[in-house]
């Protein structure tokens, strides 16, 4: 029963950097991890992909053969992969037999997850082969600094969640750079928990370019709140504890923690060790100096119970397990990928 995660997100959200860092992290923790590159435009990757779509078809070949642009060529490549999914099965089979953990690095074109059905059908095919997958969607944390951009991100995340129908985790990536992006209108926990959007709607309608669409903006916010599905974890790929916290959530989502206690499993994720996302957001805001308008980076008014972490009451192996995990994480190092 192979386990894995499908990594998606808009271009520039940090997917390749994430895949590279997480592979290093999991291999160091004793979990055999392989990366499957499904992005035909993903050249000069910092990691060594065990399975690469470019061995089947390249973006350049598709564009040249059918006179397509980059987006059209990308869609063609993914549809071609769907038609030849047996090739993917054959490539994955040896690693599945070796009980490897899979990271699928997917293209950044959002239309593949909002309109086109090929990725969804490929995922369904893998699930039929008994793969246990969760979807991880990365979004640049800089979008939190503008109401219009954050509403767009919420709508994209909601559309993707309902389209792919996988256990889904949304992530604000590059959270360590949030201070350099500008001030936030609210505390970070407001954005991670997607609290009352009427407050964000007020800031959205203050803009000259968007206030004339006030009724449309209100309808979009109400739609997102009616579904009540979207929330965010945070990630700094250079922060080992941030990576460990996110991986714990991923392994809950795809069921890895409920499987046999393999070496990598028992080292990282004592199953019921819950994470309080509000506490995580508050700690991330302090750790990375995320500023709120007016220079206040403190907690919001409803944070009086911030000292009570959600993980403190879990059955996550107790202090000894937490100490063991902490010492292992501190001994790891992640080499971050930087584009040339």
């Amino acid at each position: 029963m192979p386990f894995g995660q499908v990594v998606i997100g808009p271009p520039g959200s940090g997917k390749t950097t994430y895949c590279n860092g997480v592979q290093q992290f999991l291999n160091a923790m004793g979990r055999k991890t392989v990366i499957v590159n499904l992005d035909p435009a993903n050249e000069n990757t910092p990691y060594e992909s065990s399975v690469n779509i470019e061995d089947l078809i390249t973006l350049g070949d598709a564009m040249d053969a059918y006179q397509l642009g980059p987006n059209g060529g990308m869609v063609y490549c993914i549809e071609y992969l769907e038609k030849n999914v047996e090739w993917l099965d054959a490539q994955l089979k040896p690693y599945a037999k070796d009980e490897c953990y899979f990271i699928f690095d997917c293209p950044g074109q959002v239309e593949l997850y909002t309109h086109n059905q090929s990725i969804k059908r490929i995922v369904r095919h893998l699930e039929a082969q008994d793969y246990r997958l969760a979807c991880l969607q990365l979004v640049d944390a800089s979008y939190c600094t503008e109401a219009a951009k954050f509403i767009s991100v919420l709508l994209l995340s909601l559309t993707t969640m309902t389209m792919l129908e996988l256990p889904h985790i949304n992530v604000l990536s590059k959270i360590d750079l949030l201070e350099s992006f500008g001030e936030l209108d609210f505390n970070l926990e407001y954005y991670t928990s997607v609290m009352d959007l009427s407050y964000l709607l007020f800031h959205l309608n203050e803009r000259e370019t968007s206030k004339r669409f006030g009724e449309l903006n209100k309808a979009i916010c109400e739609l997102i709140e009616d579904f009540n599905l979207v929330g965010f974890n945070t990630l700094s790929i250079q922060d080992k504890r941030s990576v460990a916290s996110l991986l714990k959530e991923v392994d809950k989502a795809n069921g890895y923690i409920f499987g046999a206690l393999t070496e990598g499993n028992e080292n990282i994720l004592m199953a019921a060790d819950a994470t309080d996302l509000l506490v995580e957001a508050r700690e991330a805001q302090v750790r990375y100096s995320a500023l709120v308008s007016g220079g206040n980076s403190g907690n919001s008014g409803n944070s009086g119970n911030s000292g009570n972490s959600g993980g403190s009451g879990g059955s996550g192996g107790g202090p000894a397990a937490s100490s063991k995990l902490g010492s292992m994480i501190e001994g790891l190092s992640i080499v971050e990928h930087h584009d040339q």
Side-chain angles (χ1 to χ4, degrees), residues 15 32 74 91 93 132 149 215 218 226 229 249 251 254 267 276 285 290 294:
K15 297 185 298 297
K32 291 181 290 186
M74 180 68 70
Q91 298 295 310
K93 189 174 181 179
R132 297 292 188 262
K149 290 182 179 180
E215 290 301 315
K218 181 181 178 182
D226 286 345
L229 291 175
E249 297 305 309
D251 280 7
N254 63 18
N267 284 340
D276 188 325
Q285 181 163 323

Side-chain angles (χ1 to χ4, degrees), residues 136-179:
L136 188 84
Q137 180 163 350
L138 298 174
V139 176
D140 198 315
S142 64
Y143 293 134
C144 294
T145 59
E146 291 188 35
K149 290 182 179 180
F150 188 68
I151 292 294
S152 299
V153 163
L154 292 176
L155 198 57
L156 171 62
S157 299
L158 177 60
T159 304
T160 303
M161 293 172 76
T162 55
M163 177 75 165
L164 293 183
E165 297 178 323
L166 278 173
H168 196 102
I169 298 173
N170 296 301
V171 181
L172 295 175
S173 63
K174 308 177 187 178
I175 197 69
D176 51 317
L177 303 178
L178 191 56
E179 182 183 16

